[in-house]
Amino acid sequence: MLRWIRQQLGFDPPHQSDTRTIYVANRFPLNGHYVPQRFADNRIISSKYTIWNFVPKNLFEQFRRIANFYFLIIFLVQLMIDTPTSPVTSGLPLFFVITVTAIKQGYEDWLRHKADNEVNGAPVYVVRSGSLVQTRSKNIRVGDIVRVAKDETFPVDLVLLSSERPDGTCHVTTASLDGETNLKTHYSVAETSVCQSVSQLESLQAVVECQQPEADLYRFVGRITVTQHGEEIVRPLGPENLLLRGARLKNTKEIFGVAVYTGMESKMALNYKCKSQKRSAVEKSMNSFLIMYLVILLSEAVLSTILKYAWQAEDNKWDEPFYNRKTEQERNSSPILKFISDFLAFLVLYNFIIPISLYVTVEMQKFLGSFFIGWDMDLYHEESDQKAQVNTSDLNEELGQVEYVFTDKTGTLTENEMQFRECSINGTKFREVNSKLVPEGLTDECSAASSPHMVGDELLFLKAVALCHTVQISHDSSDCHAPGSDPFSLINGFSSSHMEYYASSPDEKALVEAAKRIGVAFTSSNGDTMEIKTFGKIEKFKLLHVLEFDPNRRRMSVILQTPSGAQTMFTKGAESAILPFSSSGEMEKTRLHVDEFALKGLRTLVVACRHFSPEQYQEVDRRLNAARTALQQREEKLQEAFTFIEKDLHLLGATGVEDKLQDKVQETIEALRLAGIKVWVLTGDKHETAVSVSLSCGHFHRTMNVLELLQQRSDNQCAEQLRRLARRIKEDHVIQHGLVVDGASLSLALREHEKLFMEVCKNCSAVLCCRMSPLQKAKVVRLIKTSPEKPITLAVGDGANDVSMIQEAHVGIGIMGKEGRQAVRNSDYAIARFRFLAKLLLVHGHFYYIRIATLVQYFFYKNVCFITPQFLYQFFCLFSQQTLYDSVYLTLYNICFTSLPILVYSLFEQLVHPHVLQSKPALYRDISKNSMLSFRTFLYWTLLGFCHAFVFFFGSYILMGEDTSLMGNGQMFGNWTFGTLVFTVMVITVTLKLALETHFWTWMNHFVTWGSIAFYFIFSLFYGGIIWPFLHTQDMYFVFVQLLSSGSAWFAIFIIVITCLFPDVIKKVFYRHLRPTHTQKSQSLSASQAPALSCVESLCCYQHGQSGCSRLVGFMEQMTGHCHNGAPHCASAGRHSRSWGDHENFSNDRSILTLSPIEATHC
């Protein structure tokens, strides 16, 4: 219990050593001096709160917001001193906002608790006291032997001890960790693989020593010491021996493993990356506006306090009037304290100029609005059955502000579906024709007559391709002659059950499949043996070592023992990682062929081999074993060993694999460019391949002046080249420039010449960065993001190597591709194809931005309208702090009377039809650079609020002057009647002002707009028409009824509302006809072309006469009583077709956001 408390308080000390020692089955040494290490339990905790800390922790987080904290201070001031308004006027809105937010966050955390309990309570089997015992997952301890059956997930990080296979191997899939669906083989050491029963495991004496927990999924350093017959045997442990929590066991009946990392120390839990909080430009503008309004509030409070004392000093009778004599205590009180008290009282009186409900409305708008992306059928990819998903709704409006797009190439612009096209063997180019390799220059007829058998280097090359990989095989016993089977499966001399290859890299799979088609088939791999069938002849190779691929070496190797007993190494990798280490072979010809393949847009790999003498192999084996058993600096020692081994290579040839472009990539990039967005491609491919793909996808134009910053070796050389490029840009009279830069040159440019590099880049409409590491991608994004202009950046990628730039950019987009789900999990939004990016930005981004920008401006406007009459009223009541409005009206103005119209507006507003936005990408420029929340726009809305407030107050004052008798019985208006008249005019005007701003009307807009006004009248009649027993005072009794009984009051309401809104109408008409924007021109086009739909249909469009595109339509039809599909009156002749495709000006746009002007007769 004490340890748990210390952990909760953060006082539990970290692990004292760099390694941990784990006794298998918790069989500790019997000597009394051993002190067991303390390890975490196996509970997973993803929740944020507990039942004990929810209230204080949630309140602390909410009051960190400036507006919430401000209203808390105001509420406390109202409690402590005598203020003109009740504490309820501040306390109730604050309580509402805090409660709604707390309920939302509490519900989300309850769902996390529920998920945690399901995981922690899952049944598992462990070996204890000589038997297999069922327990809960949370009860597993480090050192326990755990049994996992086929298709189960691993409950902890386990070191594999044994499996039901004789060789002690098992297959797992790590799709839930890194998204890779291929089968991965994991191994147990030979000394424990024989322990396949509970009794054998119980007698096992072994100790595991390994590193402390770390987040890297692919790194594990350890060793296991097994005691057999009194002798200690030490074996190395690496990532291939570790089974990660969350991975799933496949194609293996059961395994046993020892728990090494549990609970929050497992690698899966350590990868629960808490992403840095991204804040949108709108949120930053909103905070700036809040500070400005706080200054206005303080100024009004200070001015009112000064004027109060100035007025009292001018004539003493107002300092102590006959009807309000001071007490002795008041006469003797400190003038300074009295001044402070009056200042605070005015602060309370005017505090509603700060809109507390703005935050909760914005949160609701973002949360509800984010569903539209998932509902958009135009962002749904039918082939993969994937729809767009939103991982964070805080950045919706940022989609409408993007200025730079950084995109990966492979899997993002391309399909990541590899197809073998060409190869170079011993300096001769070959291409595949009808499952045969045909030398360059031979025709297809000649190739058909040639023999498929190959000898010498050609055969060795194919064997290298078939053996140098980490591909796994899944056998399917279906008949090869079944319809749809591979027609070439029997051509090259073998027929077997159908094999399916699983690979972590699409390149590897394409090459192994190509070798199989040509005649060298990889047929099986079981532990230390690899089998191939060469034109019908079976050959078995003993797998001695695998030198795994890593991004630094950019190559991988396998060391095999051939059937003849010789030791051979096959190596493949990038040409820059193979050619410098080759000492023989046709290097120059191969280099030329690699460049030719790259110019065609093919992905290239170079293949080489090395034959070892027995003495050489002994040294290789010794070095590898020494490096792999090292507990300290294992990676460095392995790199040294790999460098020693992978040299003096004999070059065999190179391969060229094609990766097709995705559909409509060129159109998407062109649309982004027309929208004023600069597109940068960041890829790890060599520059020839990258340039070829850039040209084919339209990133680079043929007429574009392409500049190069490549192969720079020093800072001076790089600086000189940058200056040369800058001069060329100034001198060349070319409209567009493109820049190609490689990773090495980029490192030099970013080290000393950032400003010069940025100057060149900004003058280029397209930039291509090749040979980039993941960290360099993030650095490039950060460079643009932090430049003086502070542009909004977006990064899009599909693989784990894109995660860093996705997290660095303002907005991160993950592509649901074939390289796993790491990019998707770490992104803000996820889409299935690159082409969907155009609609995501040009339509959704446009809509989200104009909606929330208007929401923010309107909120400040209506609060200025609300509180300014209160300030003006003080000039007529000697600054006595008398309130103009009743406390209930003060409380409900933002919560009830004016909240729903702006919320519905911010969910459904469309300035332009979605199809027009997509067909005219230049409209995106109209909202760029946060133009709708500029200081000028903010000033316009603020001054408009002040003007309307002056009209409310002085219009009511002039029309209802003190000499006018307005009641039926001749009585004059009183204080509360005057305030109610001002409030009534204000509610109607601010609601109708929003109606004027609304371009797209649905039945919901009508309902909340007119319903809000009606609700205000109905509420006021009930509130003032009944004596409520629980109210201490009821100043408003019968006031509203008397107001409405006066014809003059109705006339005043009508005149004041028209006076406020008529100039707005004139301004809109004037600007629309004399100085229309691109958006306003497109509105006219959209209005003239769009077909009319009914109110419910306006929420969702249809495809080729089908029913609605989401469940929302059916629900709303039931709620509103509209017809169902097939109802007779639905097919009336007066109704337009439900398919956009039937109208020549519209595409098949099935988005739930594809709304159309409503048909008036249905509303």
Side-chain angles (χ1 to χ4, degrees):
M1 182 66 182
L2 182 61
R3 183 188 167 204
W4 180 83
I5 294 173
R6 288 172 62 84
Q7 284 179 340
Q8 297 299 309
L9 296 175
F11 295 141
D12 208 33
H15 305 290
Q16 298 299 319
S17 65
D18 294 332
T19 62
R20 57 171 53 188
T21 303
I22 300 151
Y23 291 86
V24 176
N26 288 311
R27 193 174 288 105
F28 302 116
L30 298 178
N31 62 67
H33 301 292
Y34 175 73
V35 178
Q37 289 178 279
R38 292 184 303 172
F39 304 116
D41 58 30
N42 198 39
R43 288 180 304 152
I44 287 291
I45 303 172
S46 63
S47 56
K48 191 176 182 180
Y49 307 106
T50 66
I51 195 171
W52 307 108
N53 70 8
F54 174 73
V55 173
K57 191 172 182 179
N58 186 265
L59 288 178
F60 173 74
E61 290 176 350
Q62 291 206 55
F63 284 118
R64 288 167 65 185
R65 280 184 166 173
I66 295 174
N68 290 350
F69 183 72
Y70 161 77
F71 268 85
L72 176 65
I73 296 298
I74 293 294
F75 176 65
L76 295 176
V77 168
Q78 287 178 291
L79 291 175
M80 290 187 292
I81 67 171
D82 184 21
T83 56
T85 57
S86 165
V88 175
T89 59
S90 294
L92 190 61
L94 179 64
F95 177 77
F96 173 77
V97 170
I98 295 295
T99 303
V100 168
T101 307
I103 290 172
K104 172 179 171 286
Q105 294 178 350
Y107 174 71
E108 290 173 349
D109 205 61
W110 175 75
L111 293 178
R112 287 191 286 265
H113 271 283
K114 188 177 177 183
D116 289 347
N117 291 335
E118 288 181 6
V119 172
N120 295 331
V124 295
Y125 288 91
V126 298
V127 176
R128 286 180 184 164
S129 304
S131 61
L132 205 58
V133 179
Q134 183 177 0
T135 184
R136 294 179 180 272
S137 174
K138 63 182 179 182
N139 297 328
I140 298 176
R141 299 168 299 176
V142 171
D144 280 345
I145 299 176
V146 182
R147 172 212 179 233
V148 180
K150 182 181 178 181
D151 291 327
E152 290 181 353
T153 57
F154 300 114
V156 291
D157 288 352
L158 301 166
V159 166
L160 180 60
L161 295 177
S162 66
S163 75
E164 50 92 17
R165 297 170 182 261
D167 57 0
T169 62
C170 70
H171 298 299
V172 304
T173 176
T174 56
S176 62
L177 296 173
D178 57 13
E180 295 181 3
T181 55
N182 60 296
L183 295 179
K184 297 178 180 176
T185 304
H186 287 254
Y187 306 90
S188 60
V189 299
E191 287 71 23
T192 63
S193 63
V194 296
C195 302
Q196 297 184 343
S197 66
V198 173
S199 57
Q200 289 175 311
L201 289 166
E202 183 65 21
S203 61
L204 177 65
Q205 293 186 8
V207 179
V208 174
E209 296 171 89
C210 62
Q211 63 186 149
Q212 293 292 2
E214 66 170 34
D216 191 342
L217 295 175
Y218 309 105
R219 186 175 185 271
F220 178 68
V221 178
R223 64 186 176 199
I224 185 169
T225 305
V226 183
T227 304
Q228 289 183 346
H229 311 297
E231 181 184 356
E232 291 186 349
I233 304 171
V234 180
R235 296 289 183 222
L237 297 175
E240 68 279 1
N241 307 111
L242 185 69
L243 305 171
L244 300 178
R245 177 176 190 144
R248 188 178 294 272
L249 183 65
K250 290 286 188 182
N251 292 1
T252 310
K253 185 178 178 182
E254 66 175 13
I255 64 98
F256 289 95
V258 58
V260 290
Y261 303 133
T262 51
M264 299 308 292
E265 292 183 342
S266 64
K267 288 185 180 288
M268 183 183 77
L270 293 174
N271 274 275
Y272 287 154
K273 181 170 176 58
C274 195
K275 292 190 288 187
S276 59
Q277 186 67 31
K278 295 181 179 180
R279 296 173 61 218
S280 69
V282 169
E283 188 177 345
K284 294 172 186 174
S285 299
M286 197 165 68
N287 291 338
S288 303
F289 297 159
L290 276 173
I291 293 172
M292 293 181 192
Y293 270 65
L294 191 59
V295 171
I296 294 174
L297 169 65
L298 294 173
S299 303
E300 288 184 347
V302 169
L303 180 63
S304 298
T305 309
I306 293 172
L307 288 176
K308 175 180 181 177
Y309 283 95
W311 204 305
Q312 290 176 352
E314 185 179 335
D315 193 341
N316 283 330
K317 70 177 182 178
W318 296 119
D319 184 34
E320 192 175 352
F322 70 92
Y323 55 83
N324 188 20
R325 295 290 180 183
K326 293 181 180 180
T327 63
E328 193 65 31
Q329 183 181 357
E330 287 175 334
R331 289 194 183 97
N332 297 330
S333 62
S334 167
I336 296 176
L337 289 177
K338 192 177 179 186
F339 184 91
I340 293 173
S341 177
D342 283 329
F343 168 74
L344 292 176
F346 280 115
L347 203 65
V348 168
L349 191 64
Y350 305 146
N351 79 85
F352 287 95
I353 198 171
I354 306 293
I356 186 174
S357 56
L358 173 61
Y359 279 116
V360 72
T361 307
V362 167
E363 278 195 10
M364 290 175 66
Q365 189 269 346
K366 289 184 175 183
F367 175 71
L368 296 174
S370 64
F371 287 105
F372 290 135
I373 291 178
W375 288 339
D376 189 345
M377 297 303 290
D378 283 340
L379 303 184
Y380 169 73
H381 190 243
E382 198 167 353
E383 294 174 18
S384 58
D385 191 28
Q386 291 171 328
K387 62 180 182 179
Q389 66 184 55
V390 180
N391 296 330
T392 175
S393 60
D394 294 336
L395 303 171
N396 291 344
E397 65 277 8
E398 207 82 327
L399 294 170
Q401 295 296 295
V402 175
E403 296 174 59
Y404 283 84
V405 167
F406 299 91
T407 175
D408 178 40
K409 182 183 75 68
T410 305
T412 304
L413 301 179
T414 62
E415 289 284 3
N416 206 11
E417 287 183 0
M418 309 302 176
Q419 186 67 38
F420 176 81
R421 291 299 180 207
E422 295 184 70
C423 66
S424 170
I425 305 176
N426 200 24
T428 304
K429 275 204 299 185
F430 292 83
R431 57 193 175 92
E432 184 185 3
V433 178
N434 295 334
S435 297
K436 296 175 185 176
L437 280 186
V438 179
E440 187 180 38
L442 283 184
T443 62
D444 294 352
E445 291 77 10
C446 296
S447 66
S450 63
S451 170
H453 296 279
M454 295 185 175
V455 293
D457 285 342
E458 289 88 349
L459 189 58
L460 188 60
F461 174 85
L462 290 175
K463 288 182 178 180
V465 170
L467 291 167
C468 185
H469 53 73
T470 56
V471 172
Q472 302 297 324
I473 301 175
S474 173
H475 288 278
D476 184 0
S477 58
S478 61
D479 189 0
C480 289
H481 300 283
S485 62
D486 184 1
F488 302 111
S489 59
L490 301 176
I491 286 181
N492 292 313
F494 62 89
S495 62
S496 63
S497 62
H498 176 68
M499 294 182 298
E500 187 172 356
Y501 295 123
Y502 292 92
S504 56
S505 163
D507 299 76
E508 279 195 339
K509 183 179 179 183
L511 291 175
V512 173
E513 287 177 341
K516 177 188 172 186
R517 290 194 302 271
I518 294 165
V520 181
F522 171 55
T523 55
S524 71
S525 173
N526 40 353
D528 59 352
T529 303
M530 298 180 77
E531 182 181 284
I532 61 173
K533 187 177 288 188
T534 308
F535 301 107
K537 177 186 175 185
I538 294 177
E539 294 183 86
K540 290 187 177 181
F541 293 78
K542 184 178 181 181
L543 181 61
L544 301 173
H545 293 284
V546 177
L547 281 59
E548 298 84 1
F549 175 87
D550 67 66
N552 295 322
R553 285 169 42 245
R554 296 178 64 83
R555 60 182 179 268
M556 67 91 61
S557 304
V558 293
I559 302 178
L560 305 163
Q561 181 174 310
T562 65
S564 63
Q567 286 83 26
T568 299
M569 178 178 72
F570 293 121
T571 304
K572 72 176 181 187
E575 89 286 350
S576 59
I578 300 290
L579 293 178
F581 301 94
S582 300
S583 58
S584 60
E586 295 287 347
M587 286 187 282
E588 288 307 315
K589 288 184 179 179
T590 303
R591 194 191 305 273
L592 287 173
H593 291 163
V594 167
D595 291 341
E596 288 179 27
F597 295 162
L599 287 173
K600 295 177 182 178
L602 303 181
R603 294 166 61 86
T604 59
L605 285 173
V606 175
V607 182
C609 70
R610 181 183 177 186
H611 303 287
F612 297 110
S613 65
E615 294 79 14
Q616 286 176 324
Y617 176 72
Q618 285 181 1
E619 178 63 15
V620 165
D621 189 55
R622 185 190 66 78
R623 286 181 178 246
L624 282 174
N625 287 329
R628 282 177 171 153
T629 54
L631 274 182
Q632 304 295 330
Q633 298 181 327
R634 180 181 291 186
E635 282 81 4
E636 291 81 356
K637 293 178 180 177
L638 279 173
Q639 290 299 325
E640 290 176 8
F642 291 167
T643 303
F644 172 79
I645 297 166
E646 293 171 327
K647 64 182 182 180
D648 299 328
L649 302 175
H650 173 68
L651 188 61
L652 294 176
T655 61
V657 176
E658 182 185 32
D659 188 6
K660 287 196 308 180
L661 279 177
Q662 291 185 16
D663 290 339
K664 297 187 178 178
V665 168
Q666 187 167 357
E667 292 89 334
T668 302
I669 290 177
E670 186 59 28
L672 296 178
R673 184 177 286 119
L674 291 173
I677 299 172
K678 291 188 176 181
V679 180
W680 289 34
V681 175
L682 313 180
T683 178
D685 280 350
K686 64 178 299 181
H687 94 271
E688 290 90 352
T689 305
V691 168
S692 176
V693 173
S694 282
L695 287 168
S696 62
C697 73
H699 179 234
F700 282 170
H701 290 298
R702 296 288 174 184
T703 57
M704 187 180 284
N705 183 16
V706 178
L707 311 174
E708 292 187 345
L709 182 66
L710 302 171
Q711 298 176 351
Q712 305 301 305
R713 302 300 179 194
S714 67
D715 284 336
N716 293 334
Q717 184 184 358
C718 182
E720 184 57 36
Q721 177 66 6
L722 283 170
R723 293 188 193 98
R724 199 177 300 123
L725 295 178
R727 284 195 301 270
R728 278 191 62 185
I729 291 173
K730 290 179 182 178
E731 294 168 1
D732 289 352
H733 300 289
V734 179
I735 297 176
Q736 290 185 330
H737 294 85
L739 176 67
V740 183
V741 56
D742 61 12
S745 304
L746 182 72
S747 298
L748 294 172
L750 296 183
R751 189 188 305 166
E752 298 288 342
H753 317 292
E754 271 194 17
K755 289 184 179 179
L756 193 55
F757 179 67
M758 278 297 300
E759 181 187 342
V760 172
C761 289
K762 286 178 183 176
N763 290 312
C764 295
S765 56
V767 177
L768 170 64
C769 302
C770 52
R771 290 301 192 203
M772 298 281 284
S773 68
L775 191 59
Q776 283 180 317
K777 290 184 179 183
K779 283 183 178 179
V780 169
V781 175
R782 191 183 306 120
L783 174 69
I784 300 299
K785 180 180 164 185
T786 57
S787 62
E789 294 81 8
K790 297 289 189 294
I792 303 300
T793 58
L794 179 146
V796 53
D798 72 318
N801 60 328
D802 303 316
V803 168
S804 54
M805 76 167 179
I806 284 173
Q807 291 184 335
E808 183 64 43
H810 291 96
V811 182
I813 307 286
I815 300 289
M816 303 171 192
K818 297 178 175 61
E819 287 194 21
R821 287 292 183 272
Q822 279 202 31
V824 171
R825 286 202 310 272
N826 287 279
S827 64
D828 303 306
Y829 303 89
I831 53 179
R833 286 294 180 269
F834 181 79
R835 71 174 185 268
F836 296 156
L837 186 63
K839 185 168 189 185
L840 190 65
L841 298 185
L842 305 182
V843 178
H844 289 278
H846 193 282
F847 286 161
Y848 284 136
Y849 177 72
I850 61 165
R851 290 166 182 169
I852 201 165
T854 307
L855 182 151
V856 172
Q857 304 277 25
Y858 177 78
F859 247 96
F860 286 109
Y861 154 79
K862 71 186 181 74
N863 277 49
V864 168
C865 291
F866 180 41
I867 217 64
T868 303
Q870 185 88 272
F871 172 69
L872 296 174
Y873 184 62
Q874 297 308 304
F875 288 88
F876 292 84
C877 66
L878 295 180
F879 296 93
S880 61
Q881 297 153 7
Q882 168 65 35
T883 178
L884 180 62
Y885 313 121
D886 183 71
S887 294
V888 172
Y889 286 160
L890 283 171
T891 304
L892 297 183
Y893 175 75
N894 277 318
I895 295 178
C896 296
F897 298 146
T898 59
S899 58
L900 280 180
I902 185 59
L903 179 61
V904 171
Y905 171 94
S906 65
L907 290 175
F908 296 110
E909 173 64 353
Q910 297 181 20
L911 284 181
V912 187
H913 192 280
H915 176 73
V916 177
L917 288 174
Q918 280 189 277
S919 61
K920 295 188 174 182
L923 295 178
Y924 192 84
R925 297 171 185 254
D926 286 356
I927 61 168
S928 62
K929 299 187 183 298
N930 206 11
S931 60
M932 292 186 70
L933 279 175
S934 63
F935 182 75
R936 180 180 176 183
T937 314
F938 163 74
L939 197 61
Y940 164 75
W941 278 92
T942 301
L943 292 177
L944 184 68
F946 279 116
C947 291
H948 284 185
F950 273 79
V951 175
F952 299 156
F953 184 83
F954 288 109
S956 301
Y957 180 75
I958 293 168
L959 293 174
M960 305 289 117
E962 50 190 57
D963 294 332
T964 309
S965 296
L966 296 168
M967 302 301 176
N969 57 6
Q971 290 181 348
M972 292 166 49
F973 272 9
N975 171 54
W976 295 114
T977 313
F978 176 75
T980 304
L981 175 62
V982 173
F983 192 83
T984 303
V985 171
M986 177 172 55
V987 169
I988 296 173
T989 303
V990 298
T991 304
L992 293 181
K993 169 62 180 171
L994 184 63
L996 282 178
E997 295 297 319
T998 303
H999 296 84
F1000 180 81
W1001 284 88
T1002 66
W1003 66 267
M1004 277 187 278
N1005 292 84
H1006 283 283
F1007 178 76
V1008 297
T1009 299
W1010 315 121
S1012 292
I1013 297 174
F1015 173 74
Y1016 164 69
F1017 278 88
I1018 294 169
F1019 173 83
S1020 297
L1021 287 171
F1022 272 92
Y1023 172 58
I1026 302 173
I1027 297 178
W1028 300 96
F1030 52 82
L1031 293 179
H1032 178 62
T1033 61
Q1034 195 159 349
D1035 300 320
M1036 295 296 294
Y1037 179 67
F1038 229 63
V1039 168
F1040 198 71
V1041 176
Q1042 285 185 334
L1043 178 68
L1044 297 186
S1045 66
S1046 169
S1048 301
W1050 284 104
F1051 175 75
I1053 292 171
F1054 180 78
I1055 289 296
I1056 294 171
V1057 171
I1058 293 296
T1059 304
C1060 287
L1061 297 181
F1062 187 69
D1064 281 352
V1065 176
I1066 296 298
K1067 172 183 170 291
K1068 284 180 177 292
V1069 172
F1070 175 81
Y1071 273 94
R1072 183 174 290 273
H1073 284 82
L1074 298 182
R1075 295 175 57 188
T1077 63
H1078 295 296
T1079 302
Q1080 288 169 341
K1081 292 176 183 176
S1082 300
Q1083 285 172 347
S1084 304
L1085 175 68
S1086 177
S1088 64
Q1089 291 179 342
L1093 298 180
S1094 71
C1095 304
V1096 175
E1097 286 170 338
S1098 67
L1099 287 174
C1100 186
C1101 291
Y1102 299 81
Q1103 178 191 15
H1104 304 309
Q1106 296 175 2
S1107 60
C1109 64
S1110 81
R1111 291 171 287 182
L1112 180 68
V1113 173
F1115 171 73
M1116 289 185 173
E1117 285 183 338
Q1118 293 175 11
M1119 293 291 291
T1120 58
H1122 275 66
C1123 58
H1124 295 281
N1125 294 332
H1129 61 284
C1130 285
S1132 62
R1135 189 73 59 89
H1136 283 261
S1137 169
R1138 290 177 172 174
S1139 172
W1140 292 125
D1142 296 336
H1143 197 286
E1144 63 179 355
N1145 292 309
F1146 292 92
S1147 65
N1148 174 26
D1149 192 324
R1150 298 168 283 155
S1151 165
I1152 191 151
L1153 283 177
T1154 307
L1155 311 176
S1156 289
I1158 58 172
E1159 191 173 8
T1161 55
H1162 292 279
C1163 291

